Amino acid sequence: MSLALLINDWDVAAWQKSLAQLAPDRAFQTAPDITCPEDVRYALSWKPTPGQMAQMPNLEIVFSLGAGVDHIFGDNQLPNVPVVRVIDPDLSVRMSEYIVLHVLIHHRKQRVYDAFQADGKWKEISQAAASAMRVGVMGLGILGIDAALKLKNLGFQVNGWSRTAKNLDEINCYSDADGLEEFLNQTDILVCLLPHTPATDGILNFKLFEKLSHDGPLGKPVLINAGRGGLQREADILSALENGVLGAATLDVFETEPLEASSPFWTHPDITITPHNASASDPDTILKNVLRQIEIFEAGGTMANIVDPVQGY
Ligand code: NDP
Ligand code: OXD
C-alpha cells in the first residue's frame, strides 16, 4: 500500500525528494504516474486533478499539503474519506510575517517613499501612530489569530471577524453577518485570512469595500488578501481603487493563478502583488507533520485537524 503525491503548481521534485528521505520505507507514487491506483491509501495533495482520487478504491485519507482545503473540496468526485489539513507553527509564522510586513508597508507609506527614491527626492511625510490605525482581520482561525496578536503587539488597534463568536483578550471580536458591518465601519486596513467556501465566495466586493472606514489615518481604506482569490471580485477592486473607495491593495491570491499576463493588476500603481507565497508550504516541515498524522492513524489514534466537510474549512 502506498502514498500518492498529487501536486499541481508546485515543484513536485522537491516533495518527492523530501518524502523519499523522510519515509524511506514507504512506497509512493507521483501524479500523473499513478500506475497502481488500487495501492494508494493516503493522498498527499495540493490542487489535485479533479477525478483523480475517485480512481483510488482503497483511499483512506486525503491530506492537504497546506492549510486550505478548497482545492480538495473543489473536486466533485471526491471520495467520502476524511480530509486532513495542516496546522503548523511554520505556516503561522510565515503568514504573520507577510501580514505584518504588508500592514507596515501601508502604515509607514513605504510605496510613497519608494516613489520619492525613484525621483531622487529627500522628503518626509506625516506618519500616524500605530495606535491610531485600526486593522480588521477577517478570519480569526489559526492564521488570523496569530497575525492579529502580532499586530496588536506592534501597537495597532486590532478587530477581528469570524463565523462563530470569539472571546479574545486583546482583540475586539465580531461574528457572523450581524457583526460584519460594525467590524467594517471601524477598519482602516482590512486583512483577509478567510477560507474560500460557498459562504465566503466573492465576499471582498465593492459593497463590502464601501462599508470600510473612510476617515482613518490613510484617508482611504486598504485591502490585504492572503486568503484565497475566490474571496475577491477583482473587477470590484479595480473600480473601488478608481473611485477612491479603496486606497490600495496587497494581493497574494487571485481568481485565476498564475495571474494572467494581461491583468491590469501587474502595473496598477496602488496594487502590490505576490505570487501566492504569503505562507509557503516547506516540503520537509509539512511532510513531517503529515507523516506524524499517518503514524497516529495507523496506531489506532485520533488524527488532528480533520476538516468538517459541511463547513468546507
Ligand atoms: P482556519 O480554519 O483556522 O480559520 C478560518 C477562519 O475563517 C475562522 O475564524 C472561521 O470562523 C472563519 N470563517 C470561515 N468561514 C466564515 C464565514 N462564512 N464567515 C465568517 N468567518 C468565517 O483557517 P486558517 O487560519 O488555518 O487559514 C485560513 C485560510 O488562509 C486558508 O483557508 C487558506 O485559504 C489561506 N491560506 C493562504 C496561504 C497563502 O500562502 N496565501 C497559506 C495558508 C493558508 P470560525 O472561527 O468561527 O470557524
Ligand atoms: C495553503 C496555501 O493553503 O499555501 O496552505 O495557500
Side-chain angles (χ1 to χ4, degrees):
M1 283 294 186
S2 72
L3 284 65
L5 280 176
L6 309 179
I7 295 177
N8 285 301
D9 286 4
W10 283 352
D11 172 16
V12 184
W15 291 84
Q16 287 175 308
K17 184 170 169 227
S18 177
L19 187 53
Q21 277 169 358
L22 292 170
D25 300 334
R26 288 191 186 269
F28 70 89
Q29 308 177 56
T30 306
D33 303 318
I34 308 290
T35 46
C36 300
E38 62 285 358
D39 280 357
V40 178
R41 213 173 150 192
Y42 311 117
L44 280 47
S45 318
W46 181 254
K47 299 190 181 175
T49 304
Q52 203 163 40
M53 288 184 279
Q55 309 302 315
M56 301 172 178
N58 297 309
L59 187 67
E60 291 188 66
I61 307 170
V62 179
F63 290 95
S64 169
L65 294 174
V69 287
D70 50 319
H71 59 104
I72 292 169
F73 285 119
D75 180 351
N76 61 17
Q77 298 172 61
L78 182 67
N80 186 19
V81 298
V83 173
V84 176
R85 75 188 191 102
V86 175
I87 295 179
D88 194 285
D90 186 63
L91 281 184
S92 305
V93 169
R94 286 170 192 262
M95 181 57 85
S96 290
E97 285 172 1
Y98 182 91
I99 299 301
V100 167
L101 169 70
H102 288 281
V103 166
L104 287 174
I105 282 175
H106 294 293
H107 170 63
R108 297 300 301 254
K109 304 180 178 170
Q110 184 56 42
R111 295 301 184 220
V112 178
Y113 287 108
D114 291 343
F116 287 172
Q117 181 176 346
D119 287 348
K121 189 151 98 187
W122 180 275
K123 180 170 157 64
E124 196 180 336
I125 47 176
S126 70
Q127 171 64 52
S131 59
M133 191 71 76
R134 296 162 302 174
V135 183
V137 180
M138 289 181 99
L140 286 176
I142 299 297
L143 303 179
I145 289 180
D146 193 74
L149 292 176
K150 283 172 178 155
L151 291 165
K152 185 78 193 176
N153 274 339
L154 284 171
F156 291 101
Q157 290 181 49
V158 184
N159 301 314
W161 181 73
S162 53
R163 186 176 59 82
T164 58
K166 301 254 175 305
N167 192 358
L168 300 172
D169 276 353
E170 317 247 8
I171 314 292
N172 301 320
C173 298
Y174 298 85
S175 58
D176 205 8
D178 297 344
L180 184 57
E181 186 148 346
E182 197 181 341
F183 163 80
L184 295 170
N185 287 170
Q186 48 188 316
T187 296
D188 303 316
I189 299 180
L190 181 67
V191 170
C192 184
L193 284 173
L194 288 170
H196 184 216
T197 67
T200 61
D201 183 70
I203 192 168
L204 300 175
N205 56 44
F206 197 90
K207 280 195 172 138
L208 180 139
F209 303 144
E210 283 183 313
K211 294 183 180 138
L212 294 166
S213 159
H214 286 78
D215 60 2
L218 297 173
K220 297 173 200 162
V222 165
L223 168 68
I224 299 174
N225 183 18
R228 280 290 183 268
L231 298 164
Q232 73 202 13
R233 289 289 171 263
E234 292 176 1
D236 288 11
I237 294 176
L238 285 175
S239 51
L241 288 167
E242 269 158 36
N243 293 306
V245 170
L246 281 178
T250 293
L251 306 172
D252 182 56
V253 286
F254 300 90
E255 287 174 11
T256 301
E257 295 181 5
L259 183 63
E260 296 115 320
S262 60
S263 169
F265 284 3
W266 288 107
T267 50
H268 197 294
D270 298 318
I271 297 181
T272 298
I273 284 172
T274 51
H276 196 148
N277 72 338
S279 179
S281 286
D282 170 67
D284 283 355
T285 309
I286 301 300
L287 287 172
K288 276 183 199 158
N289 186 311
V290 169
L291 290 166
R292 244 187 338 262
Q293 295 262 57
I294 292 176
E295 279 166 21
I296 291 169
F297 174 73
E298 290 180 347
T302 309
M303 289 180 300
N305 316 327
I306 298 176
V307 177
D308 173 359
V310 175
Q311 294 302 335
Y313 71 93

